[in-house]
């Protein structure tokens, strides 16, 4: 690295009357090289009051910023240690956006462990970064001492990322932590509703982790709308949290590929239910119902699904609910390369899957899909 340096705010005292009336929000940038630091600052400096520093410099953050942007290689121990040194003040920022140089399960998990509220690829998309900063932020201190609304999102994203990392590295999975994250989502949705959850997840996450968070939220709200017992709701959100764990054995480049997969890539993707089952089958705290859901959430009533071509009564109620939730979540996901499908259109697609999904459940799902 070059010598440590700090890039000050470009905003001068001789601004326009409009600037004087409404000072730009303060954004602090951290990076592990001068080039990365300058690249991020150049994108932001026309819209924000920007300050930045190299991670190998002495920490100089003197005020709490609206947002912190970190662009660094999270495979480097020194970078991780430097970010941790600044963690107390960084945690007070409403937005903590990490531009991760290597989009692996391990690096994404590390970013969330360091306090990220959003993880984006290190190859910067100016439009995506500015859009993330333009989104309305949650209040720094919620009224009446209530927990911050994004705690459930952050906890769940961290749990999913950590779970994927554990599989990648062959380490034990934190089953209890993952179930606890699912419980927080259930509480959040019971209090604030599904629409609020969907909007928050889309705002902060992309790709595979966004999908897992959406599926869990949709499955929980479906269960609540059906009036399932507390124990059944726990079984449902646990199954949803774990359902795609087999994707940890598939490269992110394929999982999050923009556009259509080729035949070989599709075949690889279709190995994830069985792979997830294999990862979890010997874990004493994973029930048979959850294992069944992980392995069979891509099965259809007419036997056309995978991996076991189950049909009819061989498909459990939990799997039937999870499959509907999974398909709906996939249809309404936000991807930067395509518009988000309206919920009504997504529901109509479910309604057209005659013979594959349980007709009565699809009918019951309509209220969840369109109004909740």
């Amino acid at each position: 690295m070059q010598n440590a340096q700090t890039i000050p705010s470009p905003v001068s005292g001789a601004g326009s009357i409009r600037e004087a009336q409404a000072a730009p929000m303060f954004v602090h940038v951290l990076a592990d090289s001068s080039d990365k630091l300058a690249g991020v600052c150049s994108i932001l400096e026309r819209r924000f009051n920007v300050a930045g520093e190299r991670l190998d410099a002495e920490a100089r953050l003197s005020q709490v910023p609206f947002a912190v942007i970190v662009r660094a290689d999270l495979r480097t121990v020194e970078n991780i240690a430097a970010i941790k040194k600044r963690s107390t003040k960084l945690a007070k920022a409403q937005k903590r956006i990490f531009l991760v140089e290597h989009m692996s399960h391990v690096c994404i998990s590390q970013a969330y462990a360091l306090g990220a509220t959003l993880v984006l690829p290190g190859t910067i998309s100016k439009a995506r970064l500015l859009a993330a900063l333009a989104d309305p932020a949650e209040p720094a201190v919620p009224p009446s001492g209530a927990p911050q609304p994004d705690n459930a999102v952050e906890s769940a994203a961290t749990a999913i990322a950590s779970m994927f990392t554990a599989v990648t590295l062959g380490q034990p999975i934190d089953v209890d932590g993952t179930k606890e994250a699912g419980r927080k989502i259930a509480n959040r949705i019971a209090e604030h509703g599904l629409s609020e959850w969907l909007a928050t997840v889309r705002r902060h996450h992309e790709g595979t982790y966004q999908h897992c968070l959406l599926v869990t939220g949709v499955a929980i709200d479906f269960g609540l709308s059906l009036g399932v017992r507390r124990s059944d709701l726990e079984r449902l959100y646990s199954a949803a949290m774990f359902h795609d764990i087999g994707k940890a054995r598939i490269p992110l480049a394929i999982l999050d590929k923009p556009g259509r997969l080729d035949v070989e890539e599709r075949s690889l993707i279709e190995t994830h239910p069985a792979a997830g089952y294999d990862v979890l089958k010997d874990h004493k705290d994973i029930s048979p119902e959850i294992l069944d859901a992980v392995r069979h959430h891509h099965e259809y009533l007419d036997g056309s699904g995978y991996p076991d071509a189950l049909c009819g009564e061989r498909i459990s109620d939990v799997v039937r609910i999870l499959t509907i939730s999974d398909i709906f979540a996939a249809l309404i996901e936000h991807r930067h390369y395509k518009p988000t499908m309206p919920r009504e259109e997504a529901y109509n697609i479910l309604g057209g899957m005659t013979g594959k999904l349980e007709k009565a459940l699809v009918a019951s799902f309509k209220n969840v899909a369109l109004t909740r």
Side-chain angles (χ1 to χ4, degrees), residues 33 59 64 87 97 118 120 217 249 268 284 290 334 346 351 366:
S33 75
V64 177
S87 61
I97 301 172
L118 175 64
L120 297 175
R249 293 184 170 170
L268 183 59
K284 62 181 179 64
I290 293 174
H334 171 76
K366 185 173 183 178

Side-chain angles (χ1 to χ4, degrees), residues 3 106 115 121 128 149 204 228 252 259 263 310 326 332 341 343 361:
N3 294 331
V106 175
R128 181 72 179 93
H204 289 304
V228 302
L252 280 172
V263 174
L310 299 185
D326 186 32
I332 65 169
M341 182 180 290
R343 290 166 67 171
L361 276 178

Side-chain angles (χ1 to χ4, degrees), residues 81-100:
I83 295 169
K84 286 182 177 179
K85 284 182 179 179
R86 297 162 168 86
S87 61
T88 301
K89 288 188 176 178
L90 298 189
K92 296 178 181 178
Q94 294 179 29
K95 293 174 180 283
R96 298 179 295 280
I97 301 172
F98 278 59
L99 304 175
V100 176

Side-chain angles (χ1 to χ4, degrees), residues 28 30 53-62 82 85-86:
H28 195 80
L30 296 170
E53 63 189 56
R54 288 254 301 265
L55 285 171
D56 58 356
E58 181 180 352
R60 300 183 184 182
L61 183 58
S62 59
K85 284 182 179 179
R86 297 162 168 86

Side-chain angles (χ1 to χ4, degrees), residues 7-212:
I7 295 182
S9 165
V11 178
S12 66
S16 67
I17 294 176
R18 180 179 297 177
E19 289 171 336
Q21 291 174 337
M25 290 182 290
F26 174 41
V27 177
H28 195 80
V29 182
L30 296 170
D32 58 6
S33 75
S34 297
D35 288 345
K36 293 177 186 178
L37 188 61
V40 177
C41 289
S42 66
I43 291 173
L44 304 177
E45 59 191 16
R46 292 189 179 183
R47 300 194 186 188
F48 300 94
N49 185 348
V50 183
E53 63 189 56
R54 288 254 301 265
L55 285 171
D56 58 356
E58 181 180 352
R60 300 183 184 182
L61 183 58
S62 59
Q63 59 179 298
V64 177
F66 156 70
V68 173
I69 297 175
V70 179
R71 187 183 183 193
D73 185 348
L74 297 185
R75 300 173 302 173
T76 304
V77 174
E78 291 79 7
N79 287 344
I80 294 171
I83 295 169
K84 286 182 177 179
K85 284 182 179 179
R86 297 162 168 86
S87 61
T88 301
K89 288 188 176 178
L90 298 189
K92 296 178 181 178
Q94 294 179 29
K95 293 174 180 283
R96 298 179 295 280
I97 301 172
F98 278 59
L99 304 175
V100 176
E101 298 294 301
H102 298 273
M103 289 293 281
S104 66
H105 298 306
V106 175
C107 289
I108 293 173
S109 179
Q110 183 65 69
Y112 286 122
L114 290 168
T117 57
L118 175 64
V119 178
L120 297 175
T123 304
I124 302 176
S125 163
K126 179 178 179 180
R128 181 72 179 93
L129 180 56
L130 291 176
L133 288 168
D135 283 332
E138 302 288 354
V141 181
S144 305
Q148 291 190 20
D150 274 354
N151 281 352
V153 181
E154 293 177 25
S155 296
T158 300
I160 290 168
S162 297
M163 182 171 60
F164 272 56
T165 297
V167 175
T168 302
L169 299 179
Q171 298 174 345
I173 298 167
D174 183 4
V175 171
D176 290 340
T178 303
K179 289 182 177 180
E180 173 62 16
R183 184 189 64 78
K184 289 182 178 179
I185 298 174
N187 291 341
R188 166 79 170 259
I189 289 174
E191 183 175 355
H192 297 284
L194 178 62
S195 292
E196 189 269 352
W197 175 258
L198 298 179
T200 303
V201 170
R202 285 172 177 151
R203 187 164 71 241
H204 289 304
H205 299 280
E206 291 227 11
T208 300
Y209 299 151
Q210 177 193 159
H211 176 71
C212 291

